[in-house]
Amino acid sequence: MRFDIITVLPGLLESPFAHSILQRAQNKGIAEIVVHSLRDYATNKQKSVDDYPYGGGSGMVMSIEPFARCITALKNEREYDEVIFMSPDGQTLNQSIANELSGLGNIMILCGHYKGIDQRIRDLFVTRELSIGDYVLSGGELPAAVLVDAIVRLIPGVLNDETSALSDSFQGELLDAPIYTRPADWNGHKVPDVLLSGHEAKINDWRHEQALARTQARRPDLLED
Ligand code: SAH
């Protein structure tokens, strides 16, 4: 699966993809993540990618030309299943969207900055708009990294233990159960006996009960659906 991310601040995306699971996915050739600097597609002398908003008001608006040039250059090389704009007014990202997107081939992701991007970019090029939550960040880079992480870990072969993604919160209708590791007794705070019993069926029952109780307490809305 290939991701092309267009940003005015490519440096912000250097670290998130250079470690752990995301790095491994790239090393294994399962995911290719390419970051494009929007400024490379600016043709004016100052290499500026934004301008004042028509109609006045505060904040700069990212211009259509550099985006159009970059998107067109990428589309000339391959077909894209989705061109996604990260935006607080988009559909809120969730596990089911991540699952759906993890089955695709090529995804382009546009990162906004400042006040946002010229509406015509959204109208003409974007096929989907996603938010990572009801709060506003300075740019779309961190949301893009969140989106790519959520998707890549679901591609078969990325996680060593395939089942570990399946038991995660939101993968089914339940949140994840509590987890423990050694020591079994830390200053009198003990791990539940059942987890030390070696009895797989009992452990599975306990985990299911705990997951259910946690979901009822924290996210009863998940059980209503
Ligand atoms: N004026 C815009 C916010 C601009 S924030 C509004 O009120 O909707 C600048 C950029 O950061 C956005 O264009 C978007 O790409 C990104 N961004 C900010 N918050 C985000 C969020 N919650 N989810 C996804 N992208 C976000």
Side-chain angles (χ1 to χ4, degrees), residues 63-215:
S63 320
I64 190 167
E65 279 109 348
F67 268 113
R69 244 174 253 119
C70 183
I71 294 167
T72 305
L74 289 172
K75 281 188 172 173
N76 284 341
E77 285 169 35
R78 69 193 62 76
E79 285 195 6
Y80 286 87
D81 301 300
E82 294 275 13
V83 177
I84 299 175
F85 174 49
M86 304 311 300
S87 184
D89 59 8
Q91 185 185 13
T92 308
L93 177 64
N94 59 29
Q95 193 67 13
S96 112
I97 296 173
N99 274 313
E100 181 195 333
L101 296 177
S102 72
L104 299 183
N106 298 321
I107 292 183
M108 199 190 301
I109 305 175
L110 316 185
C111 306
H113 239 278
Y114 318 114
K115 189 73 183 156
I117 67 176
D118 189 305
Q119 180 60 38
R120 289 167 292 182
I121 306 169
R122 302 169 74 164
D123 294 342
L124 297 173
F125 299 110
V126 170
T127 59
R128 190 157 192 168
E129 303 192 330
L130 292 176
S131 162
I132 62 162
D134 290 347
Y135 40 84
V136 175
L137 299 166
S138 321
E141 289 74 18
L142 299 180
V146 167
L147 175 65
V148 172
D149 188 320
I151 295 172
V152 168
R153 63 195 302 285
L154 294 170
I155 305 174
V158 170
L159 295 185
N160 285 334
D161 178 2
E162 299 277 346
T163 56
S164 84
L166 295 178
S167 70
D168 280 341
S169 299
F170 307 117
Q171 200 57 37
E173 74 278 19
L174 296 182
L175 299 177
D176 208 355
I179 52 172
Y180 301 86
T181 186
R182 287 187 290 184
D185 183 338
W186 185 77
N187 294 344
H189 299 277
K190 293 190 176 136
V191 170
D193 285 339
V194 61
L195 294 178
L196 311 177
S197 69
H199 196 302
E200 200 184 325
K202 277 191 188 156
I203 292 173
N204 287 340
D205 284 350
W206 180 86
R207 286 192 171 141
H208 183 75
E209 281 162 27
Q210 294 287 321
L212 192 60
R214 186 172 271 193
T215 310

Side-chain angles (χ1 to χ4, degrees), residues 20-32 152 155 157-158:
S20 183
I21 291 166
L22 288 176
Q23 184 192 43
R24 210 166 55 225
Q26 292 171 91
N27 290 345
K28 283 186 184 170
I30 300 173
E32 194 180 350
V152 168
I155 305 174
V158 170

Side-chain angles (χ1 to χ4, degrees), residues 33-89:
I33 305 168
V34 188
V35 177
H36 304 272
S37 174
L38 188 62
R39 239 174 260 290
D40 293 345
Y41 296 84
T43 47
N44 51 12
K45 231 199 264 154
Q46 304 78 25
K47 295 272 173 204
S48 70
V49 294
D50 59 341
D51 212 329
Y52 293 97
Y54 273 122
S58 62
M60 298 298 276
V61 179
M62 296 182 82
S63 320
I64 190 167
E65 279 109 348
F67 268 113
R69 244 174 253 119
C70 183
I71 294 167
T72 305
L74 289 172
K75 281 188 172 173
N76 284 341
E77 285 169 35
R78 69 193 62 76
E79 285 195 6
Y80 286 87
D81 301 300
E82 294 275 13
V83 177
I84 299 175
F85 174 49
M86 304 311 300
S87 184
D89 59 8

